[in-house]
Amino acid sequence: MGNSSSQQKEPWYSMTAEEVFSSLNTDKHGLSTDDASRRIQEYGPNKLPEKGKPSAFSRFIKQFNNILIYVLLVAAVVTAVLGHWVDTGIILAVVIINAVIGFIQEGKAEKALEGIKKMLSLKASVIRDGQRNVINAEALVPGDIVSLTAGNKIPADIRIFQEKSFKVEESPLTGESAAVEKNPQPVDEDTELVDRTSMVYAGTTATYGNAQGVVTGTGQNTELGKINTMISEVQEITTPLLRQIHDFGTKLAFVILAAAAALFAFGFFIRGHSIDDMFMAVISLAVAAIPEGLPAIMTITLAIGVQSMARRNAIIRKLPSVETLGAVSVICSDKTGTLTRNEMTAKLIIVDGKSYEVEGEGYDPAGNILLEGSKIDHSESEPLTKLLQTAWVCNESEIRKDDGTWKLLGEPTEGALKTLGYKAGLQDFQPERLNDIPFDSQHKYMATLNTVDNDRIIYIKGAPERLLEMCDQQLTADGEKELDKSFWLDSIDEAADRGMRVMGTAYKIPGKNTDELEKEDVGHGAVFLGLIGIMDPPRSEAIEAVGQCRAAGITVKMITGDHKITARAIARKMGIGDGEKVIVGSEMDRMDDEELQKVVMENDVFARTSPEHKVKLIQALRANNVISAMTGDGVNDAPALKNADVGIAMGIKGTEVAKDTAEMVLADDNFASIANAVEEGRTVYDNLRKAIIFILPTNGSESLVVVAAILLGITMPITPAQILWINMVTAVTLALALSFEPMEKDVMKNPPRDPGASIIGGYFIFRIVYISLLLGGAVTVVFLMLENQHGIIASRTVAVNALVFGQLFYLLNCRKIRSHPFDKSFFGNKAVFIACLTLILLQAIFTYTPFMNEIFETSPISTHLLLYPVSVGMGIFIIVELEKWVAARKNLLS
């Protein structure tokens, strides 16, 4: 029997150790080898299940299941039927390139699952047959007794029954930045995962002390396994752009088929043309109407967006996600490591009735200690100096500069105090340590006995409430005075309300010959020094980015596993929410789907959340038709990252699981880069619309020429081969140039677009139709004017050039959606001018070289005939700019 269904789902954290032993039929002496062998057969190995992967061939074939690919394949068949094998080869090459790109991008979920598997410990110290052994962690079973020490990766879900000063760093799983103190005492059954202090979980890391525990869950039945299941069960979510393009392609295909059928019927039954003639006419219409260059242009535009974002520290892992960012209206952000630094920092000191602010962030020891905004010298205050010395000496951590970055060796809270000591210049204060009492979750303090100037002193730090019980005096500038306990309790509450973890400090002078330190020596008679407020501070650049997002109509929601008070304090500093209302995970558990869908729209701060809560919130946003992005860095964020329309992982401090699951990775872990990415995403979408608004009138005007010829019973002004030439040269030059168009001004001052809206709304459909009529009609008129005087071949040559020049001038119209093209950025896109010159050169080759004349049935034309194409182009440009001016005044452009 596998372990996915056979392990019990008990609330082990709320049971006593004896009840856990009884339920698992084990004891402190561990299992026997035979019993462990039976259980491995029952529960399966302690590893996450392997998921069958599709073959490379099936993944490649899957890339062709796309409406745009079908359109391209139809175009390839049509050109093959016409005998234009070069064009067929070009179109098929585009299809294959698209398939290869998609093939390379496949397998993201599998990579994420592999990353989770790597988080499991490889070895475990276990008691079997009464003997301690080190075994492969895969061989662990429920009921095993495991020993854990600082530095160990936790190999399974384990119920602690014995510990000494044991702390575990759980941020990859819970999002909490501070190490969690563990103890054997059971907690309430409804306790959230982040507060289950009697349990440790697979994939987390022991940072301090040691412990023994009994394995309660292995493999898929661990909390890590639950996340693994959530990731593997998430259905792939298509992007708004792909949905719009699919819808657009389907409608376009229907229109082409309907028009072709109507044209065939009219020509055959009304005009009396032969079946062969009408068949060729229908093929001409299909060739003219299918925008075969559009998928390639879309891919290239997205790829250019990827490059632009990479320059701004946003690495895109899925091409369509470039555009999706432009539609995002809600960014759901984890707190720890995303909005904050995930580096505990001492920010507040309260001593001798004064409150000092501390500059700087993280473990970088740059910054000063300030009193009322002014830098102070701590040596001028004995209470402050003693407090700083206590934080510096009564400490087991160290910070070091590595590759230009300050890194912590030890527990985060102690790292914050060590950094504070560096800021105070205490590097040379190194008193001899004679003895110490390590921190213990039972007595809640640490104490060291040191020699200072040939005198003995005991430095004490720990939970402030506990230290206040040990003190009856406090140190002031005037010496020791009676302890004002109510003042300190009020100060603790105020600091906690600001989202700080509060550390108390005290000292005691023992006898001069004291060399040993026992708990009885510090249990009473100590002198209280003051408080140090420690927090994981917000990134200053993230605060600014949240404001930018708000200006762009984007709501930022904080979803964190941290405490409610901490979440509220950070949200206030960030400008998220109303500064008061916080929804906690236990409240969400009591809500049905409809209630949650309402709550998620009305509230912006969510605390004490589990991975399941994050996924539910993302799904609730989707039920409200909201396009959302989710940021995060931990394993606990991975399911929500995959569920969101755009998952955004941290590149520096993010786990590999988060990065492999996300569509975008921030190279600098800077929330501000998200605002930049949204800006680029909106520009990409604008440029895609410009390309579509440009390409479709091209196809529409060509189609109109073909239809007009059938309806009027005149000679075809352009041949199918000439149509293919026009489509090819304009797509690879003019349409491509629009992909490089810089962003329009005020792009981040507009609200996010409606994800349900068509990629081209009613007004732009009107433009496509009238440009098609205008250009197609002008080309037909030019052909009819010249046919009798200059012959069919020369007239067709002029008609082709008229179509091309009409598109060349129309390109200038399309460079700006909301304004005229002649602003400061007119020369900002060199690609436009290169494309125009390239197109003119290609048309010269098309018109004046003998071999091209022979292939496309054209002929050189005199200079005065070129005035017709130029006049058509200039006329198109002037008319469209007038139309844009009118539309802008009526607020139709968006």
Side-chain angles (χ1 to χ4, degrees), residues 57-88:
F57 178 75
S58 64
R59 284 173 51 207
F60 184 71
I61 294 299
K62 177 184 173 184
Q63 308 309 316
F64 295 90
N65 184 25
N66 182 294
I67 186 66
L68 289 173
I69 300 302
Y70 298 155
V71 172
L72 281 177
L73 291 174
V74 169
V77 170
V78 170
T79 54
V81 169
L82 291 171
H84 294 278
W85 300 110
V86 173
D87 297 311
T88 302

Side-chain angles (χ1 to χ4, degrees), residues 1 74 83 101 205 490 539 604 606 632 664 803 822:
M1 186 183 297
V74 169
I101 291 172
T205 303
D490 289 343
R539 295 172 179 269
D604 295 334
F606 301 84
M664 185 173 92
L803 268 171
F822 301 110

Side-chain angles (χ1 to χ4, degrees), residues 337-350:
T338 308
L339 295 171
T340 65
R341 299 179 60 88
N342 196 18
E343 294 178 346
M344 299 300 286
T345 307
K347 301 295 291 183
L348 173 69
I349 300 172
I350 302 176

Side-chain angles (χ1 to χ4, degrees), residues 88-206:
T88 302
I90 292 172
I91 294 170
L92 290 177
V94 171
V95 171
I96 293 171
I97 289 170
N98 275 282
V100 169
I101 291 172
F103 177 77
I104 292 172
Q105 292 172 345
E106 280 290 334
K108 298 293 191 302
E110 287 76 8
K111 287 183 179 180
L113 298 182
E114 287 296 322
I116 285 186
K117 294 183 181 74
K118 292 176 184 176
M119 292 190 65
L120 294 177
S121 177
L122 299 178
K123 299 289 183 180
S125 177
V126 64
I127 298 176
R128 288 189 180 170
D129 298 319
Q131 301 292 320
R132 190 180 304 277
N133 296 289
V134 176
I135 65 172
N136 287 328
E138 286 189 10
L140 284 177
V141 293
D144 264 326
I145 303 301
V146 176
S147 296
L148 302 166
T149 59
N152 286 164
K153 186 168 283 187
I154 308 300
D157 285 4
I158 298 171
R159 172 63 163 87
I160 298 297
F161 64 81
Q162 181 179 312
E163 60 83 32
K164 183 176 181 181
S165 305
F166 193 54
K167 295 184 181 181
V168 178
E169 204 277 301
E170 297 182 325
S171 65
L173 190 66
T174 66
E176 290 259 22
S177 54
V180 181
E181 301 169 15
K182 299 293 182 177
N183 64 75
Q185 302 305 313
V187 296
D188 292 339
E189 189 170 335
D190 60 354
T191 302
E192 298 287 350
L193 184 142
V194 290
D195 294 320
R196 295 173 189 171
T197 51
S198 57
M199 291 288 298
V200 293
Y201 296 102
T204 61
T205 303

Side-chain angles (χ1 to χ4, degrees), residues 524-653:
H524 58 84
V527 180
F528 196 76
L529 288 169
L531 305 172
I532 303 174
I534 302 169
M535 69 184 304
D536 182 11
R539 295 172 179 269
S540 55
E541 65 272 20
I543 296 174
E544 182 181 350
V546 168
Q548 291 175 345
C549 289
R550 191 184 303 113
I554 300 170
T555 301
V556 178
K557 296 182 184 291
M558 180 196 295
I559 306 176
T560 177
D562 219 332
H563 292 277
K564 180 177 182 177
I565 292 175
T566 305
R568 180 189 291 118
I570 296 295
R572 284 174 183 163
K573 291 178 179 291
M574 300 296 306
I576 298 173
D578 61 6
E580 293 296 331
K581 185 66 174 176
V582 179
I583 304 297
V584 296
S586 56
E587 294 178 87
M588 286 186 272
D589 289 334
R590 296 189 291 270
M591 298 177 187
D592 58 27
D593 291 345
E594 188 173 334
E595 288 177 297
L596 193 58
Q597 288 167 22
K598 182 179 180 181
V599 165
V600 76
M601 298 302 290
E602 295 176 350
N603 297 274
D604 295 334
V605 185
F606 301 84
R608 275 318 197 219
T609 57
S610 67
E612 292 89 344
H613 292 137
K614 293 181 180 181
V615 171
K616 285 182 179 179
L617 289 169
I618 289 293
Q619 292 173 340
L621 287 168
R622 183 171 296 112
N624 283 293
N625 295 316
V626 170
I627 301 298
S628 66
M630 172 72 191
T631 73
D633 60 351
V635 181
N636 61 316
D637 298 318
L641 291 176
K642 192 173 180 185
N643 268 276
D645 295 287
V646 182
I648 305 172
M650 301 297 110
I652 298 174
K653 294 187 177 178

